Amino acid sequence: MLHKFAAIVLCVFGVCAMSHAAAPVLVIHGGAGVIKKEMDPATQKAVRAALATALERGYAQLKAGKPALDAVTAAITVLEDDPHFNAGKGAVFNHDGKNELDASIMDGDTLRAGGVANVHRVKNPILLARAVMEHSPHVLMFGDGAEEFAKTQGIVLVDPKYFWTEKRWQELQDALKKDAAGQHADAEKEGHFGTVGAVALDKAGHLAAGTSTGGMTDKRFGRVGDSPIIGAGTYANAGCAVSGTGWGEYYLRTVAAHEICMRVTQMHQPLKEAAEYVINKEIPKLGGDGGAIVLGADGEFATPFNTDGMYRGWVDKDGKIHVAIFPGE
Ligand code: ASP
């Protein structure tokens, strides 16, 4: 998975300079917390197809020489529009039977970032997070205020009923039953599933990361997880990009995405080791679980997780689409 830079000699009016064009790389996830027994063949097929489409759309941006940010938003919007993932259309329900969506994005080249939390009517929260980053002086906007801002940006708003799906509704009913039986901790542990994210390296050698989620089934009291929080669920700098998925409280407590990137860029820990340490040691040690996708400026990447599976996929420097769900794929 190690990546090479191609040297290109550019000559303008007889003056030549060497430029290093990076072979683009895109890595995505559609959430950890895959439960093996729930993965019937039809669901697996649909999930794999959606991951492949997201990779195709995102990678087309990179191949066309567009910035990593464009690949991240293109891939994530595909997954937000697909009901199989806990983001956009397929967002889970909170305790009150409502959908509250969170998202964030970060540009590794400039360290600009944007996030939105607790929005109810935004069809593609990742596009609003990007608008916060690019067209406001702020980094994080919440709820109704974020939706007011969305109107000024021409971001598509939908009736909250758009997010209603039978499957997610049933998951909430199951969680409520567990709550009533005093098994809240079990319900909480099973409640994170299908958050989406992407990390990309463009031809200019710049990285970006983004994450979008409906949060956790049965969440209460305006709970906000890690996904819209820069440093917890999403982080990118010049040498590292991360999007996480899992039990958000633990990603917040370990500042997981930032911690991985600091290990890579400041401590010069090998990328795979850094990712393994935070996701598979630090978070489980506290009682959490989940996974992440991590990409370095040299194109090396890692997809650690400690759940039954993690929906994921990548287009490496070979330009081929790979999708996977279970360990070892
Ligand atoms: N991390 C998300 C949250 O806690 C859930 C997920 O990744 O599925 O809100």
Side-chain angles (χ1 to χ4, degrees), residues 86 192-195 213 215-216 223 225-227 245-248:
N86 173 19
H192 51 282
F193 181 60
T195 287
T213 190
M216 290 173 78
R223 179 262 188 191
D226 59 314
S227 304
T245 169
W247 197 340

Side-chain angles (χ1 to χ4, degrees), residues 2-307:
L2 199 63
H3 166 96
K4 301 260 180 310
F5 285 85
I8 295 173
V9 181
L10 294 170
C11 297
V12 180
F13 300 123
V15 180
C16 297
M18 194 94 108
S19 133
H20 293 277
V25 178
L26 175 64
V27 187
I28 63 172
H29 71 77
V34 171
I35 299 168
K36 230 175 195 162
K37 62 179 185 325
E38 286 182 1
M39 288 300 294
D40 58 273
T43 307
Q44 276 202 46
K45 202 171 158 203
V47 165
R48 287 180 195 272
L51 290 170
T53 305
L55 287 166
E56 264 167 36
R57 298 270 176 84
Y59 193 68
Q61 301 292 322
L62 297 174
K63 251 175 65 185
K66 299 272 178 59
L69 282 172
D70 287 359
V72 165
T73 46
I76 290 182
T77 49
V78 169
L79 301 175
E80 284 179 335
D81 290 343
D82 189 304
H84 289 95
F85 304 94
N86 173 19
K89 172 75 185 149
V92 297
F93 287 95
N94 72 4
H95 185 73
D96 303 320
K98 293 190 177 130
N99 307 99
E100 296 173 331
L101 289 76
D102 304 331
S104 65
I105 192 161
M106 186 158 189
D107 178 15
D109 183 38
T110 59
L111 298 185
R112 288 179 311 159
V116 291
N118 214 325
V119 293
H120 310 97
R121 291 184 300 145
V122 180
K123 182 171 177 278
N124 293 107
I126 195 68
L127 297 182
L128 183 57
R130 185 161 175 182
V132 170
M133 174 177 80
E134 290 181 333
H135 303 300
S136 90
H138 305 305
V139 170
L140 184 59
M141 291 188 193
F142 184 86
D144 294 344
E147 289 182 352
E148 279 306 305
F149 176 68
K151 286 184 203 158
T152 72
Q153 299 299 307
I155 299 277
V156 177
L157 295 179
V158 290
D159 188 300
K161 286 195 201 96
Y162 166 79
F163 300 107
W164 197 95
T165 58
E166 177 68 32
K167 182 174 183 301
R168 298 300 184 202
W169 186 251
Q170 285 313 323
E171 283 170 6
L172 174 63
Q173 305 318 306
D174 292 348
L176 292 175
K177 271 184 217 145
K178 282 191 176 159
D179 270 358
Q183 299 163 332
H184 184 70
D186 289 354
E188 203 171 32
K189 196 166 166 53
E190 288 164 14
H192 51 282
F193 181 60
T195 287
V196 309
V199 289
L201 172 68
D202 62 27
K203 284 187 180 172
H206 297 148
L207 292 159
T211 311
S212 181
T213 190
M216 290 173 78
T217 302
D218 196 24
K219 62 185 179 182
R220 300 175 193 216
F221 313 124
R223 179 262 188 191
V224 174
D226 59 314
S227 304
I229 306 299
I230 295 303
T234 304
Y235 191 77
N237 63 18
C240 168
V242 176
S243 169
T245 169
W247 197 340
E249 278 66 14
Y250 295 90
Y251 284 68
L252 284 161
R253 287 167 61 191
T254 54
V255 204
H258 184 261
E259 173 67 22
I260 293 171
C261 283
M262 288 305 105
R263 285 174 174 272
V264 173
T265 58
Q266 301 300 311
M267 293 162 62
H268 306 292
Q269 191 171 6
L271 180 132
K272 284 199 169 79
E273 253 179 64
E276 277 290 318
Y277 180 80
V278 176
I279 300 302
N280 288 338
K281 288 213 171 81
E282 222 180 347
I283 287 175
K285 202 167 134 192
L286 294 175
D289 61 358
I293 50 174
V294 184
L295 176 62
D298 60 359
E300 193 186 0
F301 66 91
T303 61
F305 56 93
N306 48 57
T307 46

